[in-house]
Amino acid sequence: MSATTSTEVRPATADAISAAVLLLADGMPVAVPTETVYGLAADARNAEAVARIYAAKGRPSFNPLIVHVTGLEMAKTLGEFSPEAQRLAEAHWPGPLTLVIPARADNGIADIVTAGLETIAVRCPAHPVMRALVEAVGPLAAPSANASGQISPTLAAHVAKSLDGRIPLVLDAGPAKRGIESTIVAATGDGLRLLRPGPVQIEGVVEAGSDKIEAPGQLSSHYAPSKPLRLDAVSAREGEVLIGYGDVEGQITLGKDPVSAAARLFAALHEADAAPEPCIAVAPVPGDGLAAAIRDRLQRAAAPHD
Ligand code: TXA
Ligand code: MG
C-alpha cells in the first residue's frame, strides 16, 4: 500500500462496519476499536493483508501478532488448549486476556502472523465492533494501531494522527475503555507464565517478566533454512537456488514490492530449503520500513545456526 492512501475516520455505524468488512475481505487493514486499545486488523489467513499491517506500522521486525476470535470454539481451531488455558478462557473471555498456546498445524493462519513460532496468541475481545468484524470475516490479526515506536492509541484521533495516509479506514467508537493492552499469559508447557501484565489479574501465574516473545532465540532459529544463505545476491552462483526480488529474477521470487515480499518470505525460504541446490542466495531488498523488517528476517536466516 502506498503512503498516499486517504484515511477515512467514520463512526462505527452498521454501514461503516459493512464497509470495513469489505475492505478486510479485500486484504486491507482497518483500524478497529477494542476494549483495550485501537487495533489495526487484517484477515489472519491472508499473508499479504497481514504484511500490510507491518507496512502501515513500519515495524522494524516481524513480531508475532495476536489473533482475535469470537470465542473458545473458534480459538480451538487455531491452537491447543490445556485444561488450565481453557479454564482461563472460560473465566475471562470475552475480555482483555490473551493466551499464548501451541498452534495447530492446520489452523490456516498465515506464517507471517506467528513470525515462525510454533505457538499462537489468541484473544476474544469484548468490544462489539471488533466482535462483529471477526464474526463476519473470521480470525483477525491485530496489533495496536500505532506507528512502530509510538504509544498505543485509545482514541480514533490517535490512530488517524499516527497512521494517516497509510490505512483506508478507522472505525470510531469513542475512547477505548481499558486503555492498556491485554494481559498475555502463556500456556504452552507446564503451568502458566505472565508475558505481559494488563487489565486482567491472574492468580498463581509465574512472572516471565517482560512484554517480549518468550524465547527470542526461537525467532532466529525457527525459520533458518538448513542450508547456507547468501544475502544481496544479484545472480545465482554454482550450487545456489536464487530467491529473486524486484528486478533480480530467481527460480523463486519475492515479487516486486515489500508487501508481496513479506507475504511470500517464509514460503520462499521453505521452498528454497526443499530445492535440490545445496545453497540459497537472496536478492537485495532495499528500503526502510517493511523492507528493513524483511532484511532483518533474512539476516537471521543467514546467521550461523546454534
Ligand atoms: O489489547 C491488545 O492485546 C491489543 C488489542 C488490539 O487487541 N493488541 C496488542 O497487540 O497489544 P501488540 O501486537 O501490540 O502486542 C502483541 C504482543 C507482543 O508483545 C507479542 O510479542 C506478543 O503479543 N505475542 C504474540 N504472539 C506471541 C507468541 N506466539 N508468543 C509470545 N508472545 C506473543
Ligand atoms: Mg503495541
Side-chain angles (χ1 to χ4, degrees), residues 32 34 36-40 57 59 63-66 68 96 98 100-101 113-114 117 119-121 123 130 142-146 152 180-182 184 195-196 211-214:
V32 181
T34 84
T36 56
V37 299
Y38 276 72
L40 185 58
K57 282 180 66 88
R59 266 202 178 176
N63 290 327
L65 303 178
I66 296 171
H68 296 71
T98 296
V100 172
I101 57 177
V113 172
T114 49
L117 295 171
T119 54
I120 187 165
R123 154 159 138 74
M130 182 58 134
S144 51
N146 51 278
S152 292
I180 57 168
E181 297 95 335
S182 60
I184 305 181
L195 301 186
R196 178 170 77 184
D211 172 15
K212 292 220 171 73
I213 47 155
E214 277 208 83

Side-chain angles (χ1 to χ4, degrees), residues 56-306:
K57 282 180 66 88
R59 266 202 178 176
S61 64
F62 297 123
N63 290 327
L65 303 178
I66 296 171
V67 178
H68 296 71
V69 295
T70 46
L72 197 51
E73 197 184 329
M74 187 185 280
K76 283 184 170 178
T77 68
L78 306 183
E80 312 284 354
F81 279 76
S82 65
E84 278 174 306
Q86 170 138 357
R87 185 175 52 75
L88 286 182
E90 281 166 355
H92 299 284
W93 282 2
L97 173 68
T98 296
L99 293 169
V100 172
I101 57 177
R104 281 178 59 153
D106 64 349
N107 64 15
I109 299 299
D111 280 341
I112 188 173
V113 172
T114 49
L117 295 171
E118 280 163 357
T119 54
I120 187 165
V122 287
R123 154 159 138 74
C124 171
H127 199 289
V129 174
M130 182 58 134
R131 294 184 63 79
L133 294 173
V134 176
E135 204 133 314
V137 181
L140 295 177
S144 51
N146 51 278
S148 183
Q150 299 183 2
I151 51 172
S152 292
T154 56
L155 292 175
H158 297 159
V159 181
K161 193 170 169 210
S162 186
L163 298 178
D164 187 37
R166 295 169 165 269
I167 58 172
L169 178 61
V170 182
L171 292 179
D172 185 352
K177 282 211 178 74
R178 303 284 194 150
I180 57 168
E181 297 95 335
S182 60
T183 304
I184 305 181
V185 173
T188 47
D190 299 334
L192 302 169
R193 289 171 314 286
L194 182 67
L195 301 186
R196 178 170 77 184
V200 170
Q201 277 15 275
I202 311 274
E203 300 273 307
V205 177
V206 178
E207 283 248 9
S210 68
D211 172 15
K212 292 220 171 73
I213 47 155
E214 277 208 83
Q218 270 182 290
L219 272 183
S220 48
S221 61
H222 191 72
Y223 263 99
S226 62
K227 300 172 181 176
L229 189 150
R230 185 168 67 88
L231 300 176
D232 297 326
V234 291
S235 61
R237 293 177 184 159
E238 183 76 37
E240 285 180 342
V241 54
L242 178 63
I243 301 177
Y245 175 69
D247 293 337
V248 176
E249 283 185 29
Q251 290 103 299
I252 301 168
T253 181
L254 294 175
K256 298 278 181 200
D257 61 86
V259 166
S260 82
R264 293 179 195 185
L265 182 61
F266 292 119
L269 289 175
H270 277 304
E271 198 180 328
D273 218 17
E277 291 83 359
C279 301
I280 304 172
V282 187
V285 182
D288 50 18
L290 188 57
I294 293 164
R295 282 200 306 283
D296 169 79
R297 168 67 46 187
L298 286 170
Q299 271 149 14
R300 289 163 192 269
H305 303 205
D306 42 44

